[in-house]
Every structure is written in structure tokens, then in C-alpha cells.
Amino acid sequence: MKSAVETLNPTRVRLTVEVPFEELKDSLDAAYKKINQQVTVKGFRKGKIPARVIDQRFGRGAVLEEAVNDALPKFYTEAVNEAELNVLGQPEVDITELKDGETLNFTAEVDIRPTIEIPDYSGIEVEVDAVEVSEEDVDKAVSELRERFASTSPVERAAEDGDVVTIDLEAKVGGEVLEDGVASGVSYTIGSGELLEGIDDAVKGLEAGGGATFTSELKGGSAAGQEAEVTVKVTQVAARELPELDDEFAQLASEFDTLDELKADSRKRLENMKQYDQATQAQERVLEKLLELVEVPVPEKLLEDEVNTRKHNLEHHQLGQMGLDIEKYLEIQGKTVEEFDTETKEAAVKGIKTQFVLDELVKQEKLNVNQEELTEHLMRRAASSGMSPDQFAQAVVEGGQVPLLVGEVARGKALAVVVEKAVVKDTNGEVIDLDDEDEVEQATETVEAAEGTADAEAEAEEKTEG
């Protein structure tokens, strides 16, 4: 076999392959054997029909077609390996010449990973938000904890903001009660915004036994997105009572003995959260600066596939779980279809560039992923998918996605290397030290967000459901 490579553009090549006919012998033998098992000829046992008879009865062309279909993937792979190409996706194959007993010639056009040169990235500088926790932040955190320990007691008066009402609901669309539009004994805190739009105004001022009817757009269920006439009946009104903010509350709500200790712990927790957010912000901004330094051509077919994958995952996984379709989503977001398409394409370009650049860095820095890092990453992905680690691991293995997870961790390590060499300052001008034992896993999450990785959780769920 002889092969040659023609570069069509930085991300696409054409392979020209010439195969001497004698190299098709194994595939021809396999073709005769396969046809032998599929046909019957009077006077011959099944599987024992001579090749000349098959040629006479069914045509040499049918045998050649079967043999070429069998041989093409092997010769294509050999040509790719010989040229040391890093191909992307499936090739477009064209048989240019097939002479029985002489030669098989074909071409294969395929996208390839572009050659990328990573410049010196040690001079990257970024600015991030300073970690500042105010007294108001601490007071808010303690107040939210206090809300969780509130008690309720029935009252004989009209419902007010903050009260907890027990209600029965009935929703009608077009005058018909929906099958899934009836609910009894629902507990609702007035002002929480957790149910239907308009329900607060409907129940405020009602006492137990009172009712009202209002119109609202349904958020979920069989008639999601439709206007419904909703009838609500209040069966109980209960006032919420908050515990006193004192040492006794601290002992009830935490492991601390005093309110001051509880507040100090709340401050520390808020600082840790803000530090985590700060590190994520630094990683995102360092990645953006890195991508600005590198020229990365993007294969058109790969970009098209990535855009379609993102749209599919949004429509069939994220929006489906929320009971929304793409039209309603765009309405909520206040975007046109054109704006959505543009943003999706831009995000896809960034995702592809991120993967190409960080993969090149993995090679350049000779980074490897150990079993502990892979296991930690798998555990986190399992948790975010709602699956057990064993279930998720099985789905990943069966779906052949282990290399995908390894690649994610490796790219996270590559980003961590770049961040480590960058100068990160906060808005106060202070240099930030981002050293942390969870830095790689956090960087991996940042990479996933940038890539918009075709959800391994969603694909794993599809695998288990299938």
C-alpha cells in the first residue's frame, strides 16, 4: 500500500491511497465466506459453494463490493498511522479506481487537530475580586439559619406576608380540570415565590376556609407554559415564630456554645466560599488570557457537531428536566433565535479551543493522571449526576468514556500549571496565592465549564436508561 497526504487547510487533509490487489486477498476470502453463509445454490451444501459459482450466480461485482467495504477501514487506518495524523471524526471516502486483479485507489478527506504552538505563558496577569466579608454578610447568614429553625402555630386571623398557609389547589385550562392540576394540603410560605405567580395576592387577606381564583402561567406538568385558571382554598393559617438570637439558639442550631462563636464560624465559612469563588474566577480569567495568546484554527465540521451537541443537551436534558421547550427558554432569557445561535457558536468555539490548547499543554508539560485523581473526579461527576459512584462508573466504562474523564482531569492539571505561573491580584492590589489541595479538581471544573463538555452525566443516564 502507498499513501500520500495533501493539506487542504490547517485542519483538514486529503489522503490518497493506492492498494495493490494482492493486499485485498484476506478481504476477498472473507467476502466469499460471508456470501457463502448467506445464499443457497442447488447441488452445493451451504457454506461450500465454490468462488467461481458465486461469481457466476451473483456477480464478481458483489464480491468486490463486500471485500472493499471490509478492507477500506483497515487501509485508511494504516494510512493515518503512517502519516502520524491526529484525525477528528469520520472521513469522507471516495473510491477513485477499482480494477479487478490490479488495484484499489481511494481518497479520504478528514479533519485533523491543528498544529498549535504554545507561547511563553509565565507573564499572564489577571485581577480578581477581593475576599471581603462584611457584618451584613454574617448577619444575613445567621438570619437564614434562624429561618430554618422557625416554628409555626395556627392563628385565627387573615393571612399575612411570612405566614405559612395550608392550601388546596385546582387548575383549569379551557374550562377543564387538569388531571395533574389538583393538589391538597400544600404548605406554602407567603412571599417565598415557590409556587405560582399571583398566588401571594390571592391568599393574602384570606382566613381558614376562604378561597380565591386567579390566573397564572403553569411552570410544569402536562400544561406547562399555558395560562390556567387556578382556584385556591385556605384550610389553615399559621404564623411563623423565629427563635431569639442568643446563646441558646447557637446551641440549638450548631455545635457552638455561644452566638459569638456561631457568628465567627459563619464568617469563616463565608470567607472560604469567597476564596473558592475567587480561585474559580482566577482560573477562568487566566484561561481567557491563555486562549488570547494562542492562534487556534477550528475545524468546521467539528464546530458544527459541537454546536448541535450543545443544543441537543440543552433541549433534551436541561430544559426537559425543567418542563421547558427552547421557545419558552428563549422567551425567559429575552433572546432571539439568532442571538442564541450566535452565543452557542461562540461558546462552542471557546470549548474547542480550550480543549486543543490544554491538550497540547498536557503533552508539552508531560502531565499524567493517576488513579486517585481519576477516582476523585469520577466521584464528583457521579454526585452531580445523581447516580451512585458504582452506577456512574459502570455507565462510563460501558459507554467507553474513561478516556474522556482522563482527558478532563489532564486538562484541569494543565490549567492549574498555567495558573500557578500567573500573577493574580485582587481589586485591592494584593497578590493572591491560590495554592490549594483541591486546585486540580477545581481547575477541572473550570475547564468543563469552558468546554461545555458534552455531558458525561447525561450520556451516562441515557446509557443506564437504555
Side-chain angles (χ1 to χ4, degrees), residues 11-194:
T11 63
R12 194 166 180 83
V13 297
R14 179 188 293 121
L15 286 163
T16 301
V17 183
E18 298 178 10
V19 183
F21 207 80
E22 57 265 22
E23 293 187 30
L24 285 173
K25 183 180 184 307
D26 289 345
S27 293
L28 281 168
D29 291 344
Y32 279 116
K33 185 175 182 180
K34 183 176 180 180
I35 295 172
N36 241 307
Q37 299 299 322
Q38 294 174 337
V39 302
T40 56
V41 176
K42 189 175 181 180
F44 297 95
R45 286 184 296 162
K46 195 174 186 66
K48 299 295 184 180
I49 308 169
R52 58 179 177 77
V53 175
I54 291 178
D55 289 345
Q56 291 168 356
R57 289 294 186 92
F58 306 103
R60 174 72 167 176
V63 179
L64 287 175
E65 182 179 357
E66 182 66 39
V68 169
N69 288 339
D70 175 73
L72 276 178
K74 180 184 69 172
F75 292 123
Y76 165 73
T77 301
E78 286 182 12
V80 166
N81 292 338
E82 186 178 287
E84 298 181 345
L85 298 175
N86 195 339
V87 298
L88 300 167
Q90 296 300 313
E92 294 179 7
V93 177
D94 181 28
I95 298 174
T96 55
E97 186 176 22
L98 175 59
K99 289 185 177 179
D100 193 359
E102 294 184 26
T103 187
L104 162 66
N105 298 336
F106 69 91
T107 61
E109 287 191 17
V110 66
D111 286 334
I112 59 170
R113 281 196 175 230
T115 300
I116 298 174
E117 292 187 11
I118 307 294
D120 179 17
Y121 51 82
S122 59
I124 290 178
E125 294 187 15
V126 297
E127 185 180 73
V128 295
D129 296 334
V131 172
E132 297 173 343
V133 177
S134 66
E135 287 299 323
E136 290 76 13
D137 294 331
V138 175
D139 290 342
K140 181 181 178 183
V142 173
S143 295
E144 289 174 353
L145 181 62
R146 187 185 181 201
E147 290 280 346
R148 286 164 48 191
F149 284 85
S151 59
T152 59
S153 56
V155 292
E156 295 183 4
R157 60 166 172 76
E160 302 172 354
D161 268 328
D163 285 343
V164 179
V165 290
T166 305
I167 55 178
D168 297 336
L169 294 165
E170 181 183 85
K172 293 181 181 179
V173 173
E176 298 290 330
V177 178
L178 299 170
E179 287 186 13
D180 55 355
V182 179
S184 300
V186 177
S187 180
Y188 175 67
T189 301
I190 300 176
S192 66
E194 294 174 350

Side-chain angles (χ1 to χ4, degrees), residues 279-298:
T280 298
Q281 189 179 60
Q283 292 163 353
E284 290 171 347
R285 293 183 178 179
V286 168
L287 177 59
E288 288 173 3
K289 291 271 188 155
L290 176 65
L291 295 182
E292 290 173 5
L293 293 175
V294 187
E295 186 68 32
V296 185
V298 176

